[in-house]
Amino acid sequence: MQHLQLHENLSVSRIMHGWWRMHEWNLDTRGCLDLIHAVLDTGIDTFDHAACYGGFTNEGAFGRALAADKSLRDKMTIVSKCGISFPNDVLPDMKSKFYDNSAEHIIWSAERSVRELCCGHLDILLLHRPSPFADPAEIAAAFDNLHSRGIVRFFGVSNYMPAKLSMLQSYLAQPLVTNQIEISPLHLQPFEDGSLDFLMEKRIRPTAWSPLAGGALFDAANPQSRRVLNALLKAGEAHNEQRPDTLAYAWLLNHPSGMAAIAGSGNPERIRNAVDAVNIRFSAEEWISVYAASLGHNVP
Ligand SMILES: NC(=O)c1ccc[n+]([C@@H]2O[C@H](COP(=O)([O-])OP(=O)(O)OC[C@H]3O[C@@H](n4cnc5c(N)ncnc54)[C@H](OP(=O)(O)O)[C@@H]3O)[C@@H](O)[C@H]2O)c1
């Protein structure tokens, strides 16, 4: 497995594993442990969480597995996110949907994530979504607090446009180590709206969420998906590779921004398919054939 050096003291596996859908996987603690072992066996060592996943319950389920096998924590890099509030069954004080970027919430959420995950500290804390009401000085104070107390090692953002990331960074003592954004062969916006160009300019590695468009890539009723799958399979011929998910991951990993991608599947075989993508090298012609297929027309 390739690793990306996000900072001199922080590396992440090029394919990460995401636990957003964990509540759909019907896993007890034994099942969680088995999946964690299957993921680690592939060489993936970076696990992506968020406080709000599973209605604020998924971190706790993962944490019960870490508590059951205390040798696991040191083998992992753990990412979590904070800042999305919505009514849910476990936190009755959350009464409405909004983005909370207050210092009080960021500190509370990171402390709760560490407790729920039974992980001692977070390797990376991301602000899950930018709040239009965010006060960057408050965010900076929260980050200083969490960093000085050893609760969070590194910080980043998710779903940020360049101006918001740049503005926030100007207030922070810590470097933002990644921007986790939606990127897939069906979602080309970050290639076109300056998001990836900005991250490349700043030498910040992007992390792609929903790299298979949440499974929509395999929707035979979607003409864009059909075009992209055909183009991926055609490009794969020269590489003796016909697994569409492997080819889609390879297409993302080949982009010069050097992004990481988060596999969202709960199926170990599909997670291994993602990992096998790291050794495939597409030519510019092959890469752009997939891009053009997604657009539905040749590049101008
Ligand atoms: N920062 C953010 O705002 C944000 C937002 C969304 C997600 N994320 C992160 O990104 C991670 C990945 O997102 P995602 O789950 O949407 O990723 P994804 O890989 O694009 O989609 C996963 C879905 O696709 C299905 N799938 C995978 N391979 C398939 C195949 N070969 N054929 C048919 N279906 C297939 C999976 O089903 P199976 O499980 O049955 O394989 C699962 O339902 C999340 O876990 C989370 O950590 C972050």
Side-chain angles (χ1 to χ4, degrees):
M1 168 60 65
Q2 291 172 6
H3 280 74
L4 293 177
Q5 210 66 37
L6 300 189
H7 183 272
E8 59 182 338
N9 298 318
L10 175 68
S11 79
V12 294
S13 50
R14 198 84 199 274
I15 302 290
M16 305 180 180
H17 188 239
W19 286 64
W20 177 34
R21 299 177 190 271
M22 186 243 164
H23 53 288
E24 298 169 11
W25 300 336
N26 294 320
L27 299 177
D28 57 11
T29 299
R30 181 70 256 163
C32 265
L33 279 168
D34 289 345
L35 183 58
I36 290 169
H37 280 293
V39 171
L40 289 171
D41 285 348
T42 67
I44 294 174
D45 63 13
T46 306
F47 292 80
D48 186 70
H49 290 275
C52 65
Y53 286 172
F56 294 85
T57 65
N58 289 3
E59 286 186 322
F62 189 90
R64 285 191 284 283
L66 291 202
D69 181 349
K70 295 208 165 28
S71 73
L72 288 172
R73 172 64 181 102
D74 289 345
K75 299 175 180 151
M76 298 178 170
T77 299
I78 296 186
V79 183
S80 192
K81 316 185 196 75
C82 64
I84 299 186
S85 171
F86 53 80
N88 63 83
D89 292 338
V90 293
L91 297 167
D93 288 347
M94 283 192 183
K95 301 205 188 306
S96 63
K97 172 85 188 275
F98 74 112
Y99 301 148
D100 193 342
N101 283 181
S102 67
E104 186 186 8
H105 177 85
I106 293 169
I107 293 168
W108 168 84
S109 184
E111 288 175 344
R112 179 178 184 274
S113 290
V114 167
R115 271 197 316 276
E116 291 286 301
L117 290 161
C118 294
C119 64
H121 64 272
L122 299 177
D123 294 293
I124 310 178
L125 176 70
L126 308 180
L127 297 179
H128 205 152
R129 286 191 176 268
S131 162
F133 193 63
D135 175 348
E138 262 202 56
I139 294 172
F143 284 8
D144 287 345
N145 175 307
L146 292 166
H147 190 254
S148 67
R149 292 161 59 221
I151 292 170
V152 177
R153 291 177 62 220
F154 293 95
F155 299 90
V157 291
S158 180
N159 302 302
Y160 270 53
M161 293 300 288
K164 286 193 186 293
L165 192 157
S166 212
M167 182 279 286
L168 177 60
Q169 183 63 80
S170 75
Y171 281 79
L172 300 177
Q174 303 82 10
L176 293 168
V177 295
T178 192
N179 186 12
Q180 189 181 119
I181 53 180
E182 182 178 8
I183 319 174
S184 79
L186 296 192
H187 187 76
L188 302 182
Q189 187 184 322
F191 297 102
E192 296 176 350
D193 69 5
S195 294
L196 287 171
D197 304 295
F198 172 79
L199 294 172
M200 290 167 79
E201 178 193 331
K202 298 296 178 192
R203 311 303 195 262
I204 297 173
R205 300 287 194 160
T207 306
W209 62 258
S210 290
L212 305 176
L217 188 58
F218 309 101
D219 178 2
N222 177 340
Q224 185 191 21
S225 304
R226 286 202 306 273
R227 290 194 308 270
V228 167
L229 277 190
N230 286 337
L232 285 169
L233 293 172
K234 186 155 190 304
E237 283 170 8
H239 304 274
N240 293 322
E241 180 55 70
Q242 287 295 288
R243 288 171 291 176
D245 46 358
T246 303
L247 291 164
Y249 280 101
W251 186 81
L252 290 171
L253 299 187
N254 269 258
H255 188 260
S257 59
M259 69 183 78
I262 315 175
S265 176
N267 174 328
E269 188 183 336
R270 289 176 176 172
I271 297 166
R272 281 192 294 276
N273 288 349
V275 170
D276 288 344
V278 297
N279 296 317
I280 299 172
R281 296 279 167 275
F282 284 141
S283 67
E285 189 177 5
E286 289 165 344
W287 196 91
I288 289 178
S289 72
V290 177
Y291 194 92
S294 181
L295 290 174
H297 54 77
N298 267 334
V299 290

